[in-house]
Amino acid sequence: MNRIIKYVFYDMLRTRFIVLYTALLFVSTFAMFQIDSDADKVVMSLLNIVLMVIPLISIVFTTIHFYNSYEFIELMLAQPIDRKVIFIGEYLAVVSSLCIAFLIGCGIPIFLHGASFTALTLLFCGVILTMGFVSLAFLASVLTRDKAKAIGIALLFWFYFSLIYDGFLLWFVYAFSDYPLEKITLTLIALNPVDLARVIMLLQLDISALMGYTGAFYKDFFGSSLGVVLSTVVLCLWIIIPFSISLRIFSKKDL
Amino acid sequence: MRLLTIFTFLTFCCFAAYCNTITVGRTGQVKNLKQAIALANPGDTLLIESGRYLEGNIIIEKSLTIIGENFPVLDGDNKYEIFTIHANDVTIKGLKFINTGVASINDLAAIKVLDSKRLRIINNRFENTFFGIHFSNSSQSWIEDNQLESDAEAEHQIGNGIHLWKCNHITINNNTIKGHRDGIYFEFVTNSLITKNFSEGNIRYGLHFMFSHNNEYRENTFSKNGAGVAVMYTTGVKMINNTFKHNWGSSSYGLLLKDIRDSEVRNNHFVGNSVGIFMEGSSRIQFTENEFKQNGYAIRLQASCDDNTFSKNNFSANTFDLATNGTLVLNKVEGNYWDKYEGYDLNKDLIGDVPFHPVSLYSMVVEQMPSAVLLWRSFLVLLMDKAEKAIPAITPENLKDNSPLMKPYDLNKRS
């Protein structure tokens, strides 16, 4: 498996996309620190990148990459290697390269300007979201044989998690505003990795005081060790579940 | 004027000639304070040597000057009120009051003043007192340079730092109040001056007043109080050059104005409060040259307010600049600097050419459904706000700043 990871990894470096991605993140993070000296405000601005740009790039890039390396995968399958090994190898190579790109691009400027706990949480959220959306991209890729269709599905995933779901949530809160919604909205938020990461970050940024009772309830939950463990577990489920579904489909698929 | 000066001087000389000084303490003529007060004639000075005095409740009904050397400690033994003053022209200086009693029925205080005039409470220290300084029905007094510190955990265990009821013409200057219920509490206090005080970490409010007309507050700092500053049912308030900072919590306000009329709020700094100013039922208040920085809400203006003017203020790095709960606009917002302003200035007169709408759609949504705030900073909310900016539908269209500044005011040059 290590050899597969190595090959895929080198292949990705050769496309130069990863290098560009790293450079983009590095330059924009660095520029934000130059414009604003307040580290907390920079983290706020970076939050937008982490919540929107990173899922989008992760999911689209991974889908394209999967189809570009289709021939390589087919070649590998002709060898006496387990399908699962090939698939997991592909996944790990893509995830590690994207995560490394993110950590270098955003992490180095953050560490140069002094890393606070908030910034570290942001990096953690970024890595988790990258991993989750790569999983979703693999799921989109194995669902169909057609590249354009797969990219469409991938984009739909992204739209769903960063826009449509929030619209639904807003409608839900509006429709049931007469009821105590704290526990239900908490559950609903856990059903969307982007929202979950955003709420974790918001509570870090101490905006919770604005959120009144809801905020106090959330802070209580996410502040407790049970909340930290639970939210991490849920975020990890968002990586594992789409990936295991796609793995199952891939192992049975007629290529 | 000269005649007055000479007259005052002469009077002073006469008094000085007749006044005795009684030294109280281990080496003094008198060993205990109660005895000294009984011995003294009106106008005498009691000089108290350093030491610890445990004498229960001390009642002063003569015009005395009581001065402590190196802060002698007056201990209330967790049972008693320490000084009860019922006389004009009393001066208390350089004493340290500790451990008053705690009671639910009586307001036990370190210094309680009843029906008196011309008092001076200067440079004293208060530690672990229930009420610190408690004035009722008194006037023309100074409360200066005192330090009050307490460390209660719940509201019912502690009284107010400086508590004034039905007083007038009081000067409260340069006091530090920490850890009380309300730092400074006024009820029916008029024509008073409150300057350079520092009120921090009080359990409820840093400053709290009701029915206290025509008072002036200058250069005070209210910081990290449980619920900030709350003022109610008053007219003619002047708040100038104060700092309201770090009052952060789900029910915390920098400044809460309820039913305040004909007042002026000028040149204050609101930094890092969950709500900078919360206004309800208030009218004809001028807000000028204030700085709102890093607040959750800079201003929450309820629709029950009218005829207020906001001009020449700086708004920067607030989550929401202005929030309101209705579409009726009876207030004027004009010529402020908003860091969220995205307009242009073609004729370079430093005034933006397009109006700025300080109320964001999302703040209206949150006002109606508080739990919707959990979508804050999501992509959807960003899109909704942009769309609303282009075509206002829900936000009050008339609540706008027609002449927003391109650059922040330099507020420091005046203060």
Short mmCIF file of all heavy atoms in Angstrom, two decimals, chain B residues 33 37 44-46 48 58-69 71-72 74 82-97 110-113 118-126 132-133 135 141-147 175:
data_model
loop_
_atom_site.label_atom_id
_atom_site.label_comp_id
_atom_site.label_asym_id
_atom_site.label_seq_id
_atom_site.Cartn_x
_atom_site.Cartn_y
_atom_site.Cartn_z
N LEU B 33 -12.40 54.65 70.61
CA LEU B 33 -12.99 55.63 69.72
C LEU B 33 -14.31 56.16 70.24
O LEU B 33 -14.59 57.36 70.17
CB LEU B 33 -13.17 54.95 68.36
CG LEU B 33 -13.33 55.83 67.14
CD1 LEU B 33 -12.13 56.69 66.96
CD2 LEU B 33 -13.52 54.96 65.91
N ILE B 37 -15.28 60.09 71.04
CA ILE B 37 -16.41 60.81 70.44
C ILE B 37 -17.27 61.42 71.52
O ILE B 37 -17.75 62.55 71.42
CB ILE B 37 -17.21 59.87 69.52
CG1 ILE B 37 -16.38 59.53 68.30
CG2 ILE B 37 -18.53 60.50 69.11
CD1 ILE B 37 -16.90 58.39 67.49
N ASP B 44 -14.12 69.40 66.80
CA ASP B 44 -12.84 68.82 67.19
C ASP B 44 -12.32 67.83 66.13
O ASP B 44 -13.07 67.35 65.29
CB ASP B 44 -12.98 68.06 68.52
CG ASP B 44 -13.05 69.04 69.67
OD1 ASP B 44 -12.94 70.25 69.40
OD2 ASP B 44 -13.22 68.57 70.81
N THR B 45 -11.03 67.56 66.26
CA THR B 45 -10.42 66.58 65.37
C THR B 45 -10.02 65.36 66.18
O THR B 45 -9.42 65.50 67.25
CB THR B 45 -9.17 67.18 64.70
OG1 THR B 45 -9.58 68.33 63.98
CG2 THR B 45 -8.52 66.19 63.76
N LEU B 46 -10.37 64.19 65.69
CA LEU B 46 -9.90 62.97 66.33
C LEU B 46 -8.81 62.39 65.45
O LEU B 46 -9.02 62.13 64.28
CB LEU B 46 -11.03 61.94 66.48
CG LEU B 46 -12.30 62.35 67.20
CD1 LEU B 46 -13.21 61.15 67.37
CD2 LEU B 46 -12.00 62.95 68.54
N ILE B 48 -6.58 59.25 64.86
CA ILE B 48 -6.59 57.85 65.27
C ILE B 48 -5.29 57.19 64.86
O ILE B 48 -4.92 57.20 63.70
CB ILE B 48 -7.79 57.13 64.63
CG1 ILE B 48 -9.06 57.84 65.06
CG2 ILE B 48 -7.84 55.67 65.04
CD1 ILE B 48 -10.30 57.30 64.48
N ILE B 58 -20.45 52.57 65.87
CA ILE B 58 -20.02 53.85 66.41
C ILE B 58 -20.95 54.92 65.83
O ILE B 58 -21.03 55.08 64.61
CB ILE B 58 -18.56 54.14 66.01
CG1 ILE B 58 -17.66 53.03 66.57
CG2 ILE B 58 -18.14 55.50 66.50
CD1 ILE B 58 -16.31 52.97 65.93
N ILE B 59 -21.63 55.63 66.70
CA ILE B 59 -22.59 56.64 66.23
C ILE B 59 -21.98 58.02 66.38
O ILE B 59 -21.47 58.38 67.45
CB ILE B 59 -23.91 56.54 67.01
CG1 ILE B 59 -24.51 55.14 66.76
CG2 ILE B 59 -24.89 57.61 66.60
CD1 ILE B 59 -25.65 54.81 67.66
N ILE B 60 -21.98 58.79 65.32
CA ILE B 60 -21.40 60.13 65.37
C ILE B 60 -22.53 61.13 65.19
O ILE B 60 -23.17 61.17 64.14
CB ILE B 60 -20.35 60.29 64.25
CG1 ILE B 60 -19.24 59.25 64.41
CG2 ILE B 60 -19.77 61.70 64.26
CD1 ILE B 60 -18.32 59.18 63.24
N GLU B 61 -22.75 61.94 66.20
CA GLU B 61 -23.78 62.96 66.08
C GLU B 61 -23.24 64.36 66.33
O GLU B 61 -23.94 65.26 66.76
CB GLU B 61 -24.93 62.64 67.05
CG GLU B 61 -25.69 61.41 66.59
CD GLU B 61 -26.97 61.17 67.35
OE1 GLU B 61 -26.87 60.90 68.55
OE2 GLU B 61 -28.04 61.24 66.73
N LYS B 62 -21.94 64.51 66.13
CA LYS B 62 -21.29 65.82 66.28
C LYS B 62 -20.49 66.09 65.01
O LYS B 62 -20.03 65.17 64.35
CB LYS B 62 -20.32 65.79 67.46
CG LYS B 62 -20.98 65.63 68.80
CD LYS B 62 -19.91 65.41 69.85
CE LYS B 62 -20.56 65.09 71.18
NZ LYS B 62 -19.58 64.56 72.13
N SER B 63 -20.24 67.37 64.76
CA SER B 63 -19.42 67.71 63.60
C SER B 63 -17.95 67.47 63.93
O SER B 63 -17.30 68.29 64.57
CB SER B 63 -19.61 69.19 63.25
OG SER B 63 -20.97 69.44 63.06
N LEU B 64 -17.44 66.35 63.53
CA LEU B 64 -16.06 65.98 63.89
C LEU B 64 -15.23 65.74 62.64
O LEU B 64 -15.76 65.44 61.57
CB LEU B 64 -16.07 64.69 64.72
CG LEU B 64 -16.78 64.73 66.07
CD1 LEU B 64 -16.80 63.36 66.68
CD2 LEU B 64 -16.09 65.72 66.99
N THR B 65 -13.93 65.88 62.81
CA THR B 65 -13.01 65.47 61.76
C THR B 65 -12.26 64.25 62.29
O THR B 65 -11.60 64.33 63.32
CB THR B 65 -12.02 66.60 61.44
OG1 THR B 65 -12.77 67.75 61.06
CG2 THR B 65 -11.08 66.20 60.34
N ILE B 66 -12.41 63.15 61.61
CA ILE B 66 -11.75 61.93 62.07
C ILE B 66 -10.69 61.54 61.06
O ILE B 66 -10.99 61.27 59.90
CB ILE B 66 -12.78 60.80 62.26
CG1 ILE B 66 -13.84 61.25 63.27
CG2 ILE B 66 -12.11 59.51 62.70
CD1 ILE B 66 -14.95 60.27 63.50
N ILE B 67 -9.44 61.56 61.51
CA ILE B 67 -8.34 61.29 60.60
C ILE B 67 -7.55 60.09 61.09
O ILE B 67 -7.22 60.00 62.28
CB ILE B 67 -7.42 62.53 60.48
CG1 ILE B 67 -8.22 63.71 59.92
CG2 ILE B 67 -6.23 62.24 59.58
CD1 ILE B 67 -7.47 65.00 59.90
N GLY B 68 -7.26 59.17 60.21
CA GLY B 68 -6.48 58.00 60.60
C GLY B 68 -5.03 58.16 60.19
O GLY B 68 -4.73 58.74 59.16
N GLU B 69 -4.15 57.63 61.02
CA GLU B 69 -2.73 57.62 60.66
C GLU B 69 -2.38 56.21 60.18
O GLU B 69 -2.61 55.24 60.90
CB GLU B 69 -1.88 57.95 61.89
CG GLU B 69 -1.77 59.42 62.15
CD GLU B 69 -0.96 59.72 63.41
OE1 GLU B 69 -0.74 58.81 64.23
OE2 GLU B 69 -0.54 60.88 63.56
N PHE B 71 -3.77 54.27 58.13
CA PHE B 71 -4.96 53.43 57.98
C PHE B 71 -5.23 52.51 59.16
O PHE B 71 -5.08 51.30 59.07
CB PHE B 71 -4.88 52.62 56.68
CG PHE B 71 -4.93 53.49 55.46
CD1 PHE B 71 -3.78 53.83 54.78
CD2 PHE B 71 -6.14 54.01 55.03
CE1 PHE B 71 -3.83 54.65 53.67
CE2 PHE B 71 -6.19 54.83 53.93
CZ PHE B 71 -5.03 55.15 53.26
N PRO B 72 -5.63 53.06 60.32
CA PRO B 72 -6.08 52.21 61.42
C PRO B 72 -7.30 51.40 60.98
O PRO B 72 -8.11 51.87 60.18
CB PRO B 72 -6.47 53.22 62.51
CG PRO B 72 -6.68 54.50 61.80
CD PRO B 72 -5.77 54.49 60.63
N LEU B 74 -10.82 49.63 61.40
CA LEU B 74 -12.05 49.57 62.18
C LEU B 74 -12.79 48.31 61.77
O LEU B 74 -13.22 48.17 60.64
CB LEU B 74 -12.91 50.81 61.90
CG LEU B 74 -12.52 52.05 62.70
CD1 LEU B 74 -11.25 52.66 62.18
CD2 LEU B 74 -13.63 53.06 62.69
N ILE B 82 -20.41 49.99 61.00
CA ILE B 82 -19.26 50.59 61.70
C ILE B 82 -19.55 52.05 62.10
O ILE B 82 -19.68 52.35 63.27
CB ILE B 82 -17.97 50.44 60.88
CG1 ILE B 82 -17.70 48.94 60.64
CG2 ILE B 82 -16.79 51.04 61.63
CD1 ILE B 82 -16.55 48.62 59.73
N PHE B 83 -19.66 52.95 61.12
CA PHE B 83 -19.97 54.34 61.44
C PHE B 83 -21.42 54.64 61.07
O PHE B 83 -21.82 54.37 59.95
CB PHE B 83 -19.08 55.29 60.63
CG PHE B 83 -17.76 55.60 61.29
CD1 PHE B 83 -16.83 56.42 60.63
CD2 PHE B 83 -17.45 55.13 62.55
CE1 PHE B 83 -15.62 56.71 61.22
CE2 PHE B 83 -16.23 55.43 63.14
CZ PHE B 83 -15.31 56.23 62.47
N THR B 84 -22.14 55.25 61.99
CA THR B 84 -23.44 55.79 61.63
C THR B 84 -23.35 57.29 61.89
O THR B 84 -23.13 57.71 63.03
CB THR B 84 -24.56 55.19 62.48
OG1 THR B 84 -24.44 53.77 62.40
CG2 THR B 84 -25.92 55.60 61.97
N ILE B 85 -23.45 58.08 60.85
CA ILE B 85 -23.23 59.52 60.99
C ILE B 85 -24.55 60.25 60.85
O ILE B 85 -25.28 60.05 59.88
CB ILE B 85 -22.23 60.03 59.93
CG1 ILE B 85 -20.90 59.28 60.07
CG2 ILE B 85 -22.02 61.52 60.06
CD1 ILE B 85 -19.92 59.57 58.97
N HIS B 86 -24.83 61.08 61.84
CA HIS B 86 -26.03 61.90 61.77
C HIS B 86 -25.65 63.30 62.24
O HIS B 86 -26.01 63.74 63.33
CB HIS B 86 -27.13 61.28 62.65
CG HIS B 86 -28.41 62.04 62.60
ND1 HIS B 86 -29.26 62.18 63.65
CD2 HIS B 86 -28.97 62.74 61.59
CE1 HIS B 86 -30.29 62.93 63.31
NE2 HIS B 86 -30.13 63.28 62.05
N ALA B 87 -24.80 63.96 61.48
CA ALA B 87 -24.34 65.30 61.85
C ALA B 87 -23.79 65.98 60.60
O ALA B 87 -23.29 65.30 59.70
CB ALA B 87 -23.24 65.19 62.91
N ASN B 88 -23.84 67.30 60.57
CA ASN B 88 -23.27 68.02 59.43
C ASN B 88 -21.77 68.16 59.61
O ASN B 88 -21.23 67.98 60.70
CB ASN B 88 -23.90 69.41 59.33
CG ASN B 88 -25.39 69.31 59.05
OD1 ASN B 88 -25.85 68.28 58.56
ND2 ASN B 88 -26.13 70.35 59.38
N ASP B 89 -21.09 68.52 58.53
CA ASP B 89 -19.66 68.85 58.56
C ASP B 89 -18.79 67.77 59.19
O ASP B 89 -17.94 68.07 60.03
CB ASP B 89 -19.43 70.17 59.30
CG ASP B 89 -20.25 71.29 58.69
OD1 ASP B 89 -19.92 71.68 57.56
OD2 ASP B 89 -21.24 71.72 59.32
N VAL B 90 -18.99 66.55 58.84
CA VAL B 90 -18.12 65.49 59.35
C VAL B 90 -17.12 65.13 58.26
O VAL B 90 -17.47 65.04 57.09
CB VAL B 90 -18.95 64.25 59.75
CG1 VAL B 90 -18.04 63.10 60.16
CG2 VAL B 90 -19.90 64.59 60.88
N THR B 91 -15.86 64.96 58.66
CA THR B 91 -14.84 64.50 57.71
C THR B 91 -14.28 63.17 58.18
O THR B 91 -13.93 63.02 59.35
CB THR B 91 -13.70 65.53 57.61
OG1 THR B 91 -14.25 66.77 57.21
CG2 THR B 91 -12.66 65.08 56.59
N ILE B 92 -14.23 62.21 57.30
CA ILE B 92 -13.65 60.90 57.62
C ILE B 92 -12.50 60.69 56.65
O ILE B 92 -12.70 60.71 55.43
CB ILE B 92 -14.66 59.76 57.42
CG1 ILE B 92 -15.99 60.04 58.10
CG2 ILE B 92 -14.09 58.43 57.85
CD1 ILE B 92 -16.05 59.79 59.54
N LYS B 93 -11.32 60.48 57.15
CA LYS B 93 -10.17 60.45 56.26
C LYS B 93 -9.16 59.41 56.71
O LYS B 93 -8.84 59.31 57.89
CB LYS B 93 -9.52 61.84 56.28
CG LYS B 93 -8.58 62.11 55.16
CD LYS B 93 -8.21 63.58 55.20
CE LYS B 93 -7.14 63.88 54.17
NZ LYS B 93 -6.74 65.28 54.24
N GLY B 94 -8.66 58.64 55.78
CA GLY B 94 -7.54 57.75 56.06
C GLY B 94 -7.84 56.59 56.99
O GLY B 94 -6.97 56.14 57.71
N LEU B 95 -9.05 56.06 56.94
CA LEU B 95 -9.37 54.91 57.79
C LEU B 95 -9.55 53.66 56.93
O LEU B 95 -9.78 53.75 55.73
CB LEU B 95 -10.66 55.16 58.57
CG LEU B 95 -10.67 56.35 59.52
CD1 LEU B 95 -12.04 56.51 60.14
CD2 LEU B 95 -9.63 56.17 60.61
N LYS B 96 -9.45 52.53 57.59
CA LYS B 96 -9.71 51.29 56.88
C LYS B 96 -10.85 50.54 57.58
O LYS B 96 -10.76 50.26 58.78
CB LYS B 96 -8.45 50.43 56.87
CG LYS B 96 -8.62 49.14 56.12
CD LYS B 96 -7.28 48.48 55.92
CE LYS B 96 -7.45 47.16 55.20
NZ LYS B 96 -6.16 46.52 54.97
N PHE B 97 -11.90 50.26 56.83
CA PHE B 97 -13.07 49.60 57.40
C PHE B 97 -13.10 48.16 56.92
O PHE B 97 -13.00 47.91 55.73
CB PHE B 97 -14.34 50.30 56.93
CG PHE B 97 -14.42 51.74 57.34
CD1 PHE B 97 -13.83 52.73 56.58
CD2 PHE B 97 -15.08 52.09 58.50
CE1 PHE B 97 -13.91 54.05 56.97
CE2 PHE B 97 -15.16 53.42 58.90
CZ PHE B 97 -14.57 54.41 58.13
N ALA B 110 -20.34 50.31 56.05
CA ALA B 110 -19.13 50.74 56.75
C ALA B 110 -19.33 52.18 57.21
O ALA B 110 -19.03 52.53 58.34
CB ALA B 110 -17.93 50.63 55.84
N ILE B 111 -19.84 53.02 56.32
CA ILE B 111 -20.17 54.39 56.72
C ILE B 111 -21.60 54.65 56.28
O ILE B 111 -21.89 54.62 55.09
CB ILE B 111 -19.24 55.42 56.04
CG1 ILE B 111 -17.79 55.18 56.44
CG2 ILE B 111 -19.68 56.83 56.40
CD1 ILE B 111 -16.82 56.15 55.80
N LYS B 112 -22.47 54.87 57.26
CA LYS B 112 -23.84 55.22 56.88
C LYS B 112 -24.10 56.66 57.29
O LYS B 112 -23.78 57.06 58.40
CB LYS B 112 -24.85 54.29 57.55
CG LYS B 112 -26.28 54.63 57.12
CD LYS B 112 -27.28 53.71 57.73
CE LYS B 112 -27.50 52.50 56.83
NZ LYS B 112 -28.52 51.62 57.39
N VAL B 113 -24.68 57.42 56.38
CA VAL B 113 -24.93 58.83 56.65
C VAL B 113 -26.42 59.07 56.54
O VAL B 113 -27.05 58.67 55.56
CB VAL B 113 -24.17 59.70 55.63
CG1 VAL B 113 -24.51 61.16 55.84
CG2 VAL B 113 -22.68 59.49 55.75
N ARG B 118 -22.72 68.52 54.00
CA ARG B 118 -21.30 68.90 54.00
C ARG B 118 -20.41 67.84 54.64
O ARG B 118 -19.68 68.11 55.59
CB ARG B 118 -21.11 70.26 54.67
CG ARG B 118 -21.81 71.40 53.94
CD ARG B 118 -21.61 72.71 54.61
NE ARG B 118 -22.12 72.73 55.97
CZ ARG B 118 -23.40 72.96 56.28
NH1 ARG B 118 -24.29 73.20 55.34
NH2 ARG B 118 -23.78 72.96 57.53
N LEU B 119 -20.46 66.64 54.14
CA LEU B 119 -19.57 65.61 54.65
C LEU B 119 -18.42 65.39 53.69
O LEU B 119 -18.55 65.62 52.49
CB LEU B 119 -20.34 64.29 54.80
CG LEU B 119 -21.27 64.29 56.00
CD1 LEU B 119 -22.66 64.54 55.55
CD2 LEU B 119 -21.14 63.03 56.76
N ARG B 120 -17.33 64.89 54.23
CA ARG B 120 -16.22 64.52 53.35
C ARG B 120 -15.78 63.12 53.73
O ARG B 120 -15.39 62.87 54.87
CB ARG B 120 -15.03 65.46 53.55
CG ARG B 120 -15.25 66.85 53.07
CD ARG B 120 -14.24 67.75 53.72
NE ARG B 120 -14.28 69.07 53.13
CZ ARG B 120 -13.61 69.39 52.02
NH1 ARG B 120 -12.83 68.50 51.44
NH2 ARG B 120 -13.70 70.60 51.53
N ILE B 121 -15.85 62.24 52.78
CA ILE B 121 -15.36 60.87 53.01
C ILE B 121 -14.17 60.72 52.06
O ILE B 121 -14.34 60.55 50.86
CB ILE B 121 -16.43 59.82 52.65
CG1 ILE B 121 -17.80 60.19 53.23
CG2 ILE B 121 -16.01 58.43 53.05
CD1 ILE B 121 -17.95 60.01 54.68
N ILE B 122 -12.97 60.85 52.60
CA ILE B 122 -11.81 60.97 51.73
C ILE B 122 -10.75 59.93 52.04
O ILE B 122 -10.40 59.71 53.21
CB ILE B 122 -11.22 62.40 51.85
CG1 ILE B 122 -12.25 63.41 51.37
CG2 ILE B 122 -9.94 62.54 51.05
CD1 ILE B 122 -11.89 64.82 51.66
N ASN B 123 -10.25 59.31 51.01
CA ASN B 123 -9.09 58.43 51.12
C ASN B 123 -9.24 57.34 52.18
O ASN B 123 -8.36 57.15 53.02
CB ASN B 123 -7.84 59.29 51.38
CG ASN B 123 -6.57 58.52 51.14
OD1 ASN B 123 -6.57 57.50 50.45
ND2 ASN B 123 -5.48 58.97 51.73
N ASN B 124 -10.33 56.64 52.15
CA ASN B 124 -10.51 55.51 53.06
C ASN B 124 -10.44 54.21 52.28
O ASN B 124 -10.57 54.20 51.06
CB ASN B 124 -11.87 55.60 53.74
CG ASN B 124 -12.00 56.86 54.55
OD1 ASN B 124 -11.36 57.02 55.58
ND2 ASN B 124 -12.82 57.78 54.06
N ARG B 125 -10.24 53.14 53.01
CA ARG B 125 -10.25 51.82 52.37
C ARG B 125 -11.33 50.97 53.00
O ARG B 125 -11.54 51.01 54.21
CB ARG B 125 -8.89 51.14 52.56
CG ARG B 125 -7.82 51.85 51.79
CD ARG B 125 -6.49 51.20 52.01
NE ARG B 125 -5.46 52.01 51.39
CZ ARG B 125 -4.17 51.83 51.60
NH1 ARG B 125 -3.77 50.86 52.40
NH2 ARG B 125 -3.29 52.59 51.01
N PHE B 126 -11.98 50.19 52.17
CA PHE B 126 -13.07 49.33 52.64
C PHE B 126 -12.80 47.92 52.15
O PHE B 126 -12.60 47.71 50.96
CB PHE B 126 -14.41 49.80 52.07
CG PHE B 126 -14.77 51.22 52.44
CD1 PHE B 126 -14.17 52.29 51.79
CD2 PHE B 126 -15.69 51.48 53.43
CE1 PHE B 126 -14.49 53.59 52.12
CE2 PHE B 126 -16.02 52.78 53.76
CZ PHE B 126 -15.42 53.84 53.12
N GLY B 132 -20.65 49.73 51.31
CA GLY B 132 -19.46 50.51 51.62
C GLY B 132 -19.86 51.84 52.23
O GLY B 132 -19.82 52.04 53.44
N ILE B 133 -20.29 52.75 51.35
CA ILE B 133 -20.69 54.08 51.79
C ILE B 133 -22.17 54.23 51.47
O ILE B 133 -22.57 54.03 50.34
CB ILE B 133 -19.86 55.15 51.06
CG1 ILE B 133 -18.37 54.95 51.35
CG2 ILE B 133 -20.31 56.55 51.47
CD1 ILE B 133 -17.46 55.78 50.48
N PHE B 135 -25.44 56.72 51.84
CA PHE B 135 -25.97 58.05 52.17
C PHE B 135 -27.49 58.03 52.02
O PHE B 135 -27.99 57.56 51.00
CB PHE B 135 -25.44 59.10 51.19
CG PHE B 135 -24.11 59.69 51.55
CD1 PHE B 135 -23.02 58.90 51.76
CD2 PHE B 135 -23.97 61.08 51.66
CE1 PHE B 135 -21.78 59.45 52.07
CE2 PHE B 135 -22.74 61.64 51.95
CZ PHE B 135 -21.65 60.84 52.17
N SER B 141 -21.91 66.95 49.60
CA SER B 141 -20.85 66.14 50.20
C SER B 141 -19.83 65.67 49.16
O SER B 141 -20.11 65.68 47.96
CB SER B 141 -21.45 64.92 50.88
OG SER B 141 -22.28 65.34 51.92
N TRP B 142 -18.68 65.30 49.65
CA TRP B 142 -17.63 64.77 48.79
C TRP B 142 -17.34 63.32 49.17
O TRP B 142 -17.17 63.02 50.34
CB TRP B 142 -16.33 65.54 48.99
CG TRP B 142 -16.29 66.87 48.34
CD1 TRP B 142 -15.75 67.18 47.14
CD2 TRP B 142 -16.78 68.09 48.88
NE1 TRP B 142 -15.89 68.52 46.89
CE2 TRP B 142 -16.54 69.11 47.94
CE3 TRP B 142 -17.45 68.44 50.06
CZ2 TRP B 142 -16.89 70.43 48.14
CZ3 TRP B 142 -17.81 69.75 50.28
CH2 TRP B 142 -17.53 70.73 49.32
N ILE B 143 -17.23 62.48 48.17
CA ILE B 143 -16.75 61.12 48.40
C ILE B 143 -15.57 60.95 47.46
O ILE B 143 -15.75 60.89 46.24
CB ILE B 143 -17.86 60.09 48.11
CG1 ILE B 143 -19.06 60.36 49.01
CG2 ILE B 143 -17.35 58.68 48.29
CD1 ILE B 143 -20.27 59.50 48.71
N GLU B 144 -14.39 60.94 48.00
CA GLU B 144 -13.21 61.03 47.13
C GLU B 144 -12.13 60.03 47.49
O GLU B 144 -11.91 59.72 48.67
CB GLU B 144 -12.61 62.45 47.26
CG GLU B 144 -12.91 63.31 46.07
CD GLU B 144 -12.35 64.70 46.25
OE1 GLU B 144 -12.17 65.16 47.38
OE2 GLU B 144 -12.10 65.34 45.23
N ASP B 145 -11.42 59.56 46.50
CA ASP B 145 -10.21 58.74 46.66
C ASP B 145 -10.39 57.52 47.56
O ASP B 145 -9.47 57.12 48.26
CB ASP B 145 -9.06 59.58 47.24
CG ASP B 145 -8.75 60.78 46.39
OD1 ASP B 145 -8.86 60.66 45.16
OD2 ASP B 145 -8.41 61.84 46.94
N ASN B 146 -11.56 56.94 47.59
CA ASN B 146 -11.74 55.75 48.41
C ASN B 146 -11.53 54.48 47.59
O ASN B 146 -11.71 54.48 46.38
CB ASN B 146 -13.16 55.73 48.99
CG ASN B 146 -13.41 56.93 49.87
OD1 ASN B 146 -12.81 57.07 50.93
ND2 ASN B 146 -14.26 57.82 49.40
N GLN B 147 -11.15 53.42 48.30
CA GLN B 147 -11.00 52.13 47.62
C GLN B 147 -11.90 51.12 48.30
O GLN B 147 -11.75 50.87 49.49
CB GLN B 147 -9.56 51.66 47.72
CG GLN B 147 -8.63 52.47 46.83
CD GLN B 147 -7.21 52.01 46.98
OE1 GLN B 147 -6.95 50.88 47.35
NE2 GLN B 147 -6.29 52.92 46.70
N ASN B 175 -12.86 57.20 42.99
CA ASN B 175 -12.99 56.02 43.85
C ASN B 175 -12.80 54.75 43.02
O ASN B 175 -13.06 54.75 41.83
CB ASN B 175 -14.37 56.00 44.48
CG ASN B 175 -14.63 57.23 45.32
OD1 ASN B 175 -14.06 57.39 46.39
ND2 ASN B 175 -15.46 58.13 44.81
#
